[in-house]
Amino acid sequence: MIHNQLSVPGMDGTLFIHGCHFAHVDAEWSYHKHHHSSFELLHCLNGCAIEWINGHSVAFNKGDWLFLSSGVMHSTITNPQTPFAYFTVHFDTNDIFLFESFRFQAASTAA
């Protein structure tokens, strides 16, 4: 059963990668509340954390993916007993249909 789905239609523009990184952090690590002017895609590779998204807590466990639209306030707090590893990529697009689709899907899954 599919609970949430983020579909990516065909692209007629450019995908801009603003940066990406992999990190392996200690237990009890946190990252302050912030936002980006581009989209962010995160993948939990190991461990677990709580991602605070616009004031709501979301469990972020091994194998999970999170998609954040531009301008979304978020922060991360890891489990106090286990290290945490994740991959993240920040990106944007000039394909207006894809841009609006991402913004709509991110808004509808946040509700």
Side-chain angles (χ1 to χ4, degrees):
M1 173 187 292
I2 297 174
H3 294 281
N4 288 311
Q5 180 175 331
L6 174 64
S7 298
V8 179
M11 266 183 85
D12 293 323
T14 304
L15 186 67
F16 304 100
I17 305 294
H18 297 289
C20 62
H21 67 269
F22 163 81
H24 186 265
V25 299
D26 293 330
E28 295 192 70
W29 174 83
S30 64
Y31 197 80
H32 62 88
K33 185 165 57 170
H34 64 287
H35 66 74
H36 308 279
S37 59
S38 57
F39 300 104
E40 182 174 13
L41 184 63
L42 300 107
H43 180 58
C44 180
L45 299 165
N46 197 22
C48 58
I50 298 295
E51 189 75 21
W52 286 90
I53 302 171
N54 284 335
H56 300 281
S57 65
V58 175
F60 192 33
N61 298 300
K62 183 177 180 178
D64 288 349
W65 290 87
L66 287 176
F67 174 80
L68 300 172
S69 190
S70 59
V72 172
M73 294 298 292
H74 60 287
S75 61
T76 308
I77 302 171
T78 64
N79 182 306
Q81 274 80 44
T82 57
F84 177 65
Y86 69 98
F87 172 77
T88 184
V89 60
H90 300 266
F91 68 96
D92 217 334
T93 180
N94 64 357
D95 181 318
I96 193 66
F97 177 77
L98 188 60
F99 180 83
E100 291 301 323
S101 178
F102 278 154
R103 288 187 56 83
F104 173 76
Q105 288 185 38
S108 65
T109 57

